[in-house]
Amino acid sequence: MKGIVFTGFLDMVEKKFGIEIVDHIITESKLQSEGVYTSVGTYDFVEMQSLLVSLSKKVAIPLDDLIYNYGLYFFDTLVNIHPGIFALYKDPIELLSSIENHIHVQVRKLYPGAELPTFKIIKKHEDELEILYFSERAMYMFAKALMEKTFEHYDQDSQIQLEKIENNGTKVRFLISKKNGAYQK
Ligand code: HEM
């Protein structure tokens, strides 16, 4: 996992919970890197898992909620660092359906060693998108947050439902729609 994901995560923890909590989770997690991350480095995903588990215990917030909130926070970092990628798209459904074949392809060139999910488009219409998420890291709540923020970025409301196909979250179906779309309940 890229250093930028770790540095962003620790920044968020510091802003929301304070520097003492950052110190606590780094000590508690017994990290190989000792919690020293550079944005261009690459680190073991196990370290992120340990940090998240320590934080979840310390602040008594479920893991899924922490990862989701981290996704909301990380989206702003992505927009700040890569405004050009977002400028290429005029519509959230167009952007989300291009992650696999365009956005993360560019990401692989910019961030060698990035560990990215796979997205498979099942159905695509003007107002709806059904996609499958595959990743050993099971960061589906991170994905959900990035999807919601993508709609917000284009000033649009969204309705995003997810259904785990594998219980451990390594394969998840997303039903995404603009408000009033067919998937809305
Ligand atoms: C992970 C870049 C848009 C879904 C990542 C990582 C980077 C990245 C650097 C971390 C890779 C690693 O740590 O090894 C970008 C950039 C984007 C973008 C530059 C747009 C300009 C999106 C969007 C989604 C998304 C819109 C929405 C679904 C994910 C997920 C992960 C991820 C779920 C976590 C890894 C996993 O699940 O296996 N992305 N991303 N990305 N990205 Fe993107």
Side-chain angles (χ1 to χ4, degrees), residues 1-9 37-43 70:
M1 174 160 267
K2 300 311 291 183
I4 187 178
V5 186
F6 287 89
T7 53
F9 177 70
Y37 302 108
T38 66
S39 59
V40 291
T42 305
Y43 307 89
Y70 183 40

Side-chain angles (χ1 to χ4, degrees), residues 111-158:
Y111 301 87
E115 296 176 292
L116 299 163
T118 300
F119 288 103
K120 188 170 179 221
I121 300 173
I122 305 297
K123 267 190 228 157
K124 184 184 169 202
H125 298 294
E126 201 182 310
D127 291 341
E128 288 110 28
L129 186 62
E130 177 179 346
I131 46 180
L132 294 182
Y133 162 92
F134 302 84
S135 170
E136 282 166 25
R137 288 162 296 286
M139 291 179 68
Y140 54 90
M141 289 305 285
F142 189 79
K144 182 168 192 268
L146 293 180
M147 290 173 188
E148 288 177 1
K149 290 286 280 187
T150 300
F151 275 83
E152 251 180 52
H153 181 79
Y154 293 96
D155 284 324
Q156 293 196 29
D157 290 331
S158 61

Side-chain angles (χ1 to χ4, degrees), residues 18-180:
I19 191 77
E20 297 77 15
I21 301 286
V22 173
D23 286 344
H24 173 89
I25 63 170
I26 288 176
T27 314
E28 187 78 354
S29 303
K30 301 188 181 64
L31 307 163
Q32 210 192 342
S33 70
E34 298 180 349
V36 182
Y37 302 108
T38 66
S39 59
V40 291
T42 305
Y43 307 89
D44 201 329
F45 176 65
V46 170
E47 296 206 4
M48 180 54 75
Q49 273 174 324
S50 313
L51 289 166
L52 282 161
V53 169
S54 307
L55 181 62
S56 173
K57 277 193 204 144
K58 182 72 184 166
V59 300
I61 297 178
L63 269 179
D64 268 2
D65 293 0
L66 290 174
I67 299 174
Y68 172 78
N69 275 291
Y70 183 40
L72 298 179
Y73 184 91
F74 192 67
F75 183 86
D76 295 339
T77 309
L78 289 179
V79 175
N80 286 331
I81 307 181
H82 300 288
I85 298 184
F86 290 90
L88 286 175
Y89 297 92
K90 302 284 167 258
D91 176 88
I93 293 209
E94 286 306 321
L95 188 149
L96 294 178
S97 57
S98 305
I99 301 170
E100 182 67 20
N101 294 332
H102 172 239
I103 298 178
H104 277 172
V105 174
Q106 295 302 112
V107 169
R108 264 182 226 289
K109 293 182 198 159
L110 294 169
Y111 301 87
E115 296 176 292
L116 299 163
T118 300
F119 288 103
K120 188 170 179 221
I121 300 173
I122 305 297
K123 267 190 228 157
K124 184 184 169 202
H125 298 294
E126 201 182 310
D127 291 341
E128 288 110 28
L129 186 62
E130 177 179 346
I131 46 180
L132 294 182
Y133 162 92
F134 302 84
S135 170
E136 282 166 25
R137 288 162 296 286
M139 291 179 68
Y140 54 90
M141 289 305 285
F142 189 79
K144 182 168 192 268
L146 293 180
M147 290 173 188
E148 288 177 1
K149 290 286 280 187
T150 300
F151 275 83
E152 251 180 52
H153 181 79
Y154 293 96
D155 284 324
Q156 293 196 29
D157 290 331
S158 61
Q159 170 86 21
I160 298 174
Q161 297 174 42
L162 64 83
E163 177 201 332
K164 283 188 199 172
I165 296 173
E166 294 290 347
N167 264 338
N168 61 8
T170 54
K171 183 173 179 188
V172 177
R173 182 194 318 280
F174 281 94
L175 298 174
I176 303 162
S177 70
K178 292 184 181 170
K179 272 271 162 76
N180 307 318

